Amino acid sequence: MRLYSALLARQSGLRANFVRSLPLMLACCFIQPALAAYTLPDVIDTALQNNPVVGIANAQKEAAEAAVTTAGTYANPQVEAVMGPSRYRTPGGQGGDRNWNVGLSQPLDFPGVRNAKIAVAEFGSKSAEAGAELMRIELRFRVKYAFYDVLQRQSVLKLVEGDRNLLQQIRERVKLRVEVGESPKYELIKADTEALAAERDYQAALVRITEGKAYLRGLLGSSVPVEYDIEGQLPMGYSLPTLDSLRDQVTQSPQLSQVRANTETADAKLKLEQRLRNPGVTLKASVEQDPDLTQMRFGLAIPLPLWDQRQGPIAAAAADVRQSQAILSDRELGLRRDMEAAYQRYTIAQQQLAAFENGLLSQAESVLKVAEAAYRFGERGILEYMDAQRTFRAVRKDYLAARFDYVSSMLEIERLLGTELLEVKP
């Protein structure tokens, strides 16, 4: 009875201490700051606003637009003024009087030359715009890939954390059985080894998550805190069109659009070099005042392509045209090759997922349950049970890897085609 009363008193004291410390505990909970959580739309918007690549692309685009303005600007006129004393060579003339001359010249391009300059600048602006769009597509791909990579690593961490906890429990049970003499000591050594390996995998998974988040933060800019969380899941509910349909979309890829713009720019430069053989005229007007005579002159100056007919610049421009056409053909072949390779990876990952979901996972789990039951009833040793546990872990890790391969292959095709195949959802 005394013992029961003492226990009641001790319990009442503990309850009172807990009630008194409850406000402080709640305050500590509220003081701890929560990590900022980012969804996929958040990280994409942040990257498009803060990543320096976007600033570089915008600057290049603005410079190309400024080149269009420059190409359409007329050359400034030139004013020339000279003055000096006059000396007469005829008898009776008086020296010392001043004479002066004022001249005005205005260079003008021929319409064909002017239009060619503007065309070169406009095609250059088109190429810069395509390049800026390509940079944004590449940045979106890198951000989405890094985001899904962190989600994948978090899934692996959750998996190895569960394995670690389970192996620690198994190790404690094995230790107890060894202590009571039901199992040999080598089973405890085996359990210790497996538990240490699971702890190693858990720590490595933590490091990989930190590494993945650091890379993602490097794409987003310094506005994102060092410690943050992400929210989302792998987009497993999507599938790709047929390979023939994707082949037809290759010609509309932004990568080819930029190369085509470069080819058009090279063609325009070739036409400009050909027309610069005779670029234009210079209009001239002048007034000359002698002591006894005022003269007004009007004229024009036209360069004569006698010695320099621009064979070198024209040949170089023609070579640039051939090179740009070859680059276009090579890039199109490369896109088709890369797209088909990515589609094959997508098909393989799809088949692997079907194999895992239609039998491999359930079979590995069934084998593990049978091995665990046999071990509990003493029909099998710890080695057989550990082997089954290791096989089950390997199957689940391969399943997670196949899920990520499935998504990453679709992301690669999305990047190559420049289209949104995986919808961005919060």
Side-chain angles (χ1 to χ4, degrees):
M1 188 66 180
R2 291 180 181 178
L3 178 60
Y4 179 72
S5 300
L7 290 174
L8 288 178
R10 180 176 178 82
Q11 184 177 5
S12 299
L14 292 174
R15 185 181 297 109
N17 292 334
F18 176 76
V19 171
R20 286 194 298 268
S21 62
L22 182 60
L24 180 59
M25 294 171 60
L26 292 176
C28 293
C29 293
F30 283 110
I31 289 175
Q32 295 179 354
L35 296 179
Y38 293 87
T39 61
L40 182 56
D42 294 335
V43 297
I44 291 178
D45 293 340
T46 302
L48 292 178
Q49 292 176 4
N50 300 327
N51 194 285
V53 171
V54 178
I56 294 173
N58 293 334
Q60 292 175 349
K61 182 180 177 181
E62 293 173 359
E65 292 173 351
V68 177
T69 304
T70 302
T73 303
Y74 290 95
N76 291 324
Q78 183 177 357
V79 177
E80 181 179 1
V82 294
M83 180 182 297
S86 298
R87 294 182 180 181
Y88 292 92
R89 301 181 63 184
T90 58
Q94 296 180 358
D97 295 332
R98 292 184 178 276
N99 65 80
W100 52 268
N101 179 281
V102 177
L104 177 67
S105 60
Q106 173 65 58
L108 294 175
D109 293 330
F110 286 135
V113 175
R114 177 177 172 81
N115 294 336
K117 288 182 179 179
I118 295 175
V120 170
E122 289 177 344
F123 285 127
S125 177
K126 183 179 178 181
S127 176
E129 184 176 357
E133 180 64 22
L134 191 60
M135 284 186 179
R136 285 190 289 268
I137 291 174
E138 184 69 21
L139 179 60
R140 284 176 62 90
F141 163 76
R142 293 170 62 189
V143 170
K144 292 173 71 173
Y145 186 92
F147 183 86
Y148 290 138
D149 181 56
V150 174
L151 290 179
Q152 165 74 5
R153 298 184 185 199
Q154 288 178 345
S155 299
V156 173
L157 174 65
K158 185 178 180 180
L159 175 64
V160 298
E161 184 179 11
D163 293 337
R164 182 194 66 166
N165 297 335
L166 177 61
L167 288 173
Q168 288 177 350
Q169 295 174 5
I170 294 175
R171 188 252 179 204
E172 294 299 326
R173 291 199 299 267
V174 171
K175 180 181 178 182
L176 180 60
R177 296 183 64 173
V178 170
E179 290 177 350
V180 299
E182 294 182 359
S183 299
K185 190 174 182 180
Y186 77 89
E187 292 190 355
L188 179 59
I189 297 175
K190 180 64 176 178
D192 287 336
T193 303
E194 295 290 338
L196 289 175
E199 180 66 26
R200 179 202 59 199
D201 293 341
Y202 174 74
Q203 297 298 331
L206 285 176
V207 173
R208 283 193 288 268
I209 289 179
T210 303
E211 180 185 7
K213 285 185 175 181
Y215 177 77
L216 178 59
R217 183 175 180 270
L219 296 174
L220 304 182
S222 58
S223 61
V224 177
V226 177
E227 298 293 336
Y228 66 96
D229 284 331
I230 62 172
E231 296 178 352
Q233 56 185 358
L234 294 181
M236 302 303 300
Y238 293 89
S239 59
L240 293 179
T242 62
L243 182 57
D244 293 335
S245 176
L246 294 177
R247 286 195 185 103
D248 296 336
Q249 299 180 34
V250 168
T251 57
Q252 306 300 325
S253 172
Q255 298 188 33
L256 295 183
S257 299
Q258 185 187 26
V259 179
R260 289 193 188 97
N262 294 336
T263 303
E264 293 171 344
T265 303
D267 290 334
K269 287 181 179 179
L270 176 58
K271 294 178 181 178
L272 176 61
E273 293 295 341
Q274 291 172 345
R275 293 175 181 177
L276 282 177
R277 290 172 176 172
N278 194 354
V281 300
T282 301
L283 301 179
K284 293 187 176 184
S286 64
V287 177
E288 183 176 353
Q289 178 66 55
D290 289 334
D292 297 327
L293 181 64
T294 299
Q295 299 180 4
M296 300 182 66
R297 296 184 177 91
F298 300 93
L300 56 86
I302 301 177
L304 299 178
L306 295 180
W307 320 122
D308 184 10
Q309 297 185 0
R310 304 187 65 81
Q311 291 92 343
I314 291 174
D320 289 340
V321 171
R322 293 191 297 271
Q323 181 182 6
S324 61
Q325 291 173 348
I327 291 175
L328 176 59
S329 299
D330 179 70
R331 186 65 59 85
E332 185 172 359
L333 290 175
L335 280 178
R336 293 183 182 277
R337 180 181 62 250
D338 295 342
M339 189 271 296
E340 292 182 1
Y343 194 87
Q344 294 302 323
R345 292 196 299 271
Y346 161 78
T347 303
I348 293 173
Q350 192 177 40
Q351 294 173 352
Q352 289 179 344
L353 284 177
F356 280 114
E357 294 172 354
N358 294 334
L360 284 180
L361 287 173
S362 59
Q363 291 176 4
E365 187 176 4
S366 299
V367 170
L368 177 63
K369 289 181 180 179
V370 171
E372 183 179 5
Y375 172 70
R376 289 181 182 275
F377 289 104
E379 297 176 0
R380 293 186 181 179
I382 187 64
L383 296 180
E384 290 82 357
Y385 178 46
M386 289 296 180
D387 289 338
Q389 183 68 33
R390 190 184 307 106
T391 302
F392 183 59
R393 292 200 306 269
V395 170
R396 288 190 297 172
K397 287 182 179 180
D398 291 342
Y399 173 66
L400 292 179
R403 282 167 53 93
F404 186 71
D405 290 341
Y406 180 77
V407 173
S408 62
S409 61
M410 287 192 290
L411 281 178
E412 178 65 17
I413 295 177
E414 182 179 276
R415 181 185 71 88
L416 296 173
L417 299 181
T419 58
E420 194 75 26
L421 299 177
L422 300 178
E423 184 180 357
V424 177
K425 293 183 178 180

